């Protein structure tokens, strides 16, 4: 069986198609709630890709955090504020057409650069995790090599949380 | 495996730890004691920053690496000191801001400190992940700082634009980083530095792509052309000290990150730095030309800061053409110009804030006759503007001269010529302000007319010079009171019409800036002049630190 038609390859194409379809739907929907659901689809598709690549921990975390928590959070935010909101149809302008051309050119450039390059091939006989399971290796990296950025992320989350409270509080005071 | 217990945390992260601890203390105390004046928290923050400055200065000569992600070397020592010095200026500015505007949000002090913690991380991290987290820490704190002002549509508009553009910039930067990680399997800059040659020989196309994506991603944060569109709205919407923070501290940290990241990763690929020259040229030209028609003072300073970022990017274009020994001169030029730019910009924002607060308008016409009303402020602003334009005897001139010499020395003369020509263009708008300050004042009717026109959003090319309102006034002693009276009485009308005023309703009551603001402006004037007359003060310090030691 040629490598192009192995089961993994077919799964990859199907998942990619699903992700792209969800992303396009997210952009083309006019109702905010549908957009949030489409984003959820993108997240689930990405999780499937991660699992296909053998990164099961990242895949599950993706489902739990993004597809679960974040999509639901977005939905809650929409329901609590203005769930009837729809985006108005916008006509095509010269500016939008130019932006589309620019995006297309950027995409083509990226594609050519990526396809035109012989990428480094990993050696399948070397175990990058040194015998540990994926989850264990991630934990080791996170709490040993990446200790400092890990602690800084907690600082970042504090700032984001406090910032969100400040902005929301003032919005309430304004009304 | 790194040793978690016995790492040199305090040598490498001392200032960062102190600033973070101060931020948390101020935040918790502010939550517990909401009735205390915001100035107390600012004072506490200044004390914490001073402690961090002392720590940074004491450890400036030491060299250590902690957990492969944070380092204490010449780069981090110099940039940490510059960042902390800028922080002191901005907190000092915020101190006067809080005094004059008691309704100003109290969240400023600790959000500024969190932003500084991010900036310090960007200056001292040697791991792509750590650098990125530092950048996000600075960015998120800045987004909140811009949007924190209540009941101001402009503030919200500026914050939303900054948030969206900043997020796109982060995404582009990460995309570029992901290529490098994919090729090398490492995020550590020392590992990447050793693989620089391999990257360029084996994967030239992807290396150029990654360089461009990283440069463009940082271009959003540093407001380089063509990623600068958010800058004027954000600066105009933010409170005075926050605009100064975005223009100086966040740029210093951004350039520190860019310098370390690009030099380590792309040391084997000299050709890619040409792109930095292209973006630098575009930034210098567009920034200066876009500043010409601006009448809103903060918007003009925003475009001016875009142009200055173009000058600051010039050394990046020269790294490819030169060897390690020449880089020392480039580092010196970059740091010198950053310090000079910081003094001039913070000073200019402080004066502009004061003047616009007195007159309740950001239109450039409020500068008319400032030399009569307040010669000291007019003189200080003249020094800053001359410095930004690059007149001799100011730090701006010396900084630009060093950049020019670098371009000639390293055979990239076209960039030097462009720097010279665009600076000549910038004289036009900087001198427009100076002329306004020293010319006799406008008649009352004309003043009202121009202010209203500006509020209605009429920003026309050359308007500034088309109506020379030179009306010689007999009886100068009476004239001054006259105009002041008209301005104060005109204030309530404008309050409803526009939301670009800074004050709360007590503006115009005190005509002299307080001692805090005067000290700040004096420090900035002294900094601009001393560095212009005796640049050796700073250069000897840089030489003593030694870039490669």
């Amino acid at each position: 069986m040629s490598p192009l038609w192995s089961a993994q390859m077919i799964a990859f194409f199907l998942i990619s198609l699903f992700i792209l379809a969800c992303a396009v739907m997210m952009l083309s929907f006019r109702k905010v709630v549908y957009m949030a659901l489409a984003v959820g689809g993108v997240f689930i598709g990405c999780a499937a890709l991660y699992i296909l690549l053998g990164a099961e921990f990242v895949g599950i975390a993706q489902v739990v955090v993004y597809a679960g928590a974040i999509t639901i959070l977005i939905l809650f935010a929409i329901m609590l504020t203005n769930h009837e909101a729809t985006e108005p149809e916008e006509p095509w302008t010269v500016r939008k057409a130019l932006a589309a051309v620019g995006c297309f050119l950027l995409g083509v450039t990226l594609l050519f650069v990526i396809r035109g390059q012989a990428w480094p091939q990993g050696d399948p006989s070397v175990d990058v995790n040194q015998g540990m399971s994926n989850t264990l290796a991630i934990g080791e990296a996170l709490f040993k090599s990446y200790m400092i950025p890990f602690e800084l992320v907690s600082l970042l989350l504090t700032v984001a949380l406090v910032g969100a409270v400040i902005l929301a509080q003032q919005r309430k005071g304004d009304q | 495996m790194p040793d978690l217990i016995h790492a040199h945390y305090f040598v490498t992260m001392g200032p960062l730890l102190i600033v973070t601890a101060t931020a948390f203390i101020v935040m918790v105390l502010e939550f517990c004691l909401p009735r205390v004046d915001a100035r107390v928290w600012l004072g506490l923050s200044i004390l914490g920053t001073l402690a961090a400055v002392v720590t940074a200065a004491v450890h400036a000569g030491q060299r250590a690496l902690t957990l492969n992600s944070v380092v204490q070397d010449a780069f981090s020592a110099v940039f940490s000191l510059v960042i902390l010095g800028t922080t002191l200026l901005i907190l000092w500015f915020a101190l006067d801001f809080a005094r004059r505007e008691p309704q100003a949000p109290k969240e400023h002090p600790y959000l500024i400190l969190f932003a500084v913690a991010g900036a310090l991380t960007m200056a001292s991290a040697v791991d792509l992940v750590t650098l990125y987290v530092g950048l996000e820490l600075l960015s998120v704190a800045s987004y909140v700082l811009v949007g924190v002002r209540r009941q101001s549509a402009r503030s919200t508009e500026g914050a939303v634009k900054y948030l969206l553009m900043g997020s796109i910039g982060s995404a582009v930067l990460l995309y570029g980083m992901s290529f490098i990680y994919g090729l090398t399997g490492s995020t550590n800059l020392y590992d990447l530095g050793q693989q620089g040659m391999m990257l360029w020989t084996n994967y030239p196309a992807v290396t150029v792509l990654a360089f461009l994506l990283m440069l463009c991603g940082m271009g959003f944060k540093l407001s380089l052309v063509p990623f600068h569109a958010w800058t004027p709205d954000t600066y105009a919407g933010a409170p005075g000290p926050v605009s100064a923070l975005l223009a100086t501290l966040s740029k210093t940290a951004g350039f520190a990150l860019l310098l370390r990241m690009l030099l380590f990763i792309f040391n084997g690929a000299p050709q890619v730095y040409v792109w930095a020259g292209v973006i630098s040229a575009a930034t210098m030209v567009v920034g200066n030309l876009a500043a010409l028609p601006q009448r809103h003072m903060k918007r003009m300073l925003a475009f001016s800061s875009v142009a200055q970022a173009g000058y600051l990017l010039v050394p990046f274009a020269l790294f490819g053409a030169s060897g390690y020994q020449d880089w020392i001169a480039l580092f010196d030029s970059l740091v010198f110009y950053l310090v000079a730019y910081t003094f001039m910009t913070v000073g200019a924002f402080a004066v502009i804030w004061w003047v616009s607060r007195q007159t309740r308008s950001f239109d450039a016409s409020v500068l008319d006759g400032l030399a009569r009303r307040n010669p000291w402020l007019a003189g200080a602003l003249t020094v800053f503007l001359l410095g930004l334009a690059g007149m001799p005897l100011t730090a701006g001139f010396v900084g630009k001269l060093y950049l020019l010499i670098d371009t000639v020395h390293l055979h990239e003369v076209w960039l030097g010529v462009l720097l010279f020509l665009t600076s000549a263009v910038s004289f036009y708008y900087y001198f427009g302000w100076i002329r306004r300050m020293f010319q006799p004042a406008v008649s009352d009717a004309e003043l009202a007319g121009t202010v209203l026109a500006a509020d209605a959003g009429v920003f026309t090319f050359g308007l500034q010079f088309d109506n020379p309102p030179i009306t010689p006034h007999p009886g100068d002693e009476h004239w001054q009171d006259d105009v002041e009276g008209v301005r104060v009485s005109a204030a309530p009308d404008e309050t409803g019409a526009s939301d670009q005023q800074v004050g709360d309703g007590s503006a115009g009551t005190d005509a002299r800036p307080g001692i805090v603001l005067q000290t700040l402006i004096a420090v900035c004037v002294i900094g601009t002049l001393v560095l212009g007359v005796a640049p050796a003060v700073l250069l000897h310090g840089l030489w003593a630190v030694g870039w490669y030691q």
Side-chain angles (χ1 to χ4, degrees), chain B residues 508-531:
Chain B
T509 45
D510 31 21
R512 298 274 155 220
I515 187 75
V516 176
L517 196 71
Q518 297 222 14
T519 333
L520 173 76
I521 295 172
V523 167
C524 291
V525 168
I526 292 170
T528 312
L529 291 179
V530 165
L531 287 182

Side-chain angles (χ1 to χ4, degrees), chain A residues 110 113-114 117-120 143-149 152-153 155-156 158-160 162-163 166-167 170 174, chain B residues 1 4 13 20 24 67 69-70 107 114 121 127 130 133 136-137 144 147-148 151 179 183 187 202-203 206 209:
Chain A
L110 288 174
V113 170
I114 293 171
Q117 184 72 60
W119 289 83
F143 292 106
K144 285 191 170 162
S145 325
Y146 292 101
M147 240 305 267
I148 292 174
L152 284 169
V153 166
L155 201 58
L156 176 62
T158 312
V159 175
V162 172
I166 290 170
L167 294 179
Q170 288 195 346
D174 288 350
Chain B
M1 198 53 76
L4 288 180
M13 301 170 64
T20 312
F24 273 110
L67 303 184
S69 45
V70 181
E107 289 80 12
F114 280 127
T121 313
D127 189 280
T130 320
V133 174
E136 279 304 285
L137 185 53
V144 181
V148 83
Q151 290 158 346
F179 279 112
L183 288 176
T187 57
N202 294 349
Y203 314 102
V206 180
L209 183 66

Side-chain angles (χ1 to χ4, degrees), chain B residues 16 22 243 267 319 328 418 446 488 517:
Chain B
L16 175 62
T22 318
S243 308
N267 58 7
F319 282 119
I328 295 178
L418 203 61
E446 205 161 355
V488 173
L517 196 71

Side-chain angles (χ1 to χ4, degrees), chain B residues 358-430:
Chain B
Q358 291 300 106
T359 54
R360 306 200 138 273
S361 165
F362 275 111
D363 188 74
S365 64
V366 300
L367 290 173
D368 288 336
L370 184 68
R372 301 255 181 118
R373 281 181 283 142
N374 198 329
W376 150 236
L377 275 189
L381 186 56
T382 308
V383 170
F384 301 139
L385 293 176
L386 289 178
L388 288 169
M391 280 291 274
L393 291 184
T394 61
F397 170 75
V398 183
K400 278 186 187 166
L401 185 68
Y402 286 148
L403 293 177
L404 198 64
I405 292 173
D406 288 335
T407 58
V408 176
H409 178 62
L410 297 170
H411 310 295
E412 295 272 356
V413 187
W414 67 280
L415 264 180
V417 172
L418 203 61
L419 193 154
F420 183 78
L421 287 179
T422 49
S423 299
V425 171
S426 75
F427 272 64
Y428 186 76
Y429 56 84
Y430 289 127

Side-chain angles (χ1 to χ4, degrees), chain B residues 124-182:
Chain B
S124 55
V126 284
D127 189 280
L128 287 181
V129 176
T130 320
L131 283 173
Y132 176 72
V133 174
L135 177 68
E136 279 304 285
L137 185 53
L138 172 63
S139 304
V140 170
S142 312
Y143 303 149
V144 181
L145 276 170
V146 175
V148 83
R149 219 144 45 122
R150 71 181 72 200
Q151 290 158 346
S152 168
R154 251 166 217 274
S155 179
T156 312
E157 181 194 352
V160 168
K161 282 188 179 165
Y162 188 31
L163 171 70
L164 289 178
M165 292 316 236
S167 312
I168 295 173
S170 296
V172 174
L173 175 71
L174 273 184
Y175 192 36
M177 284 180 176
S178 76
F179 279 112
I180 296 297
Y181 178 67

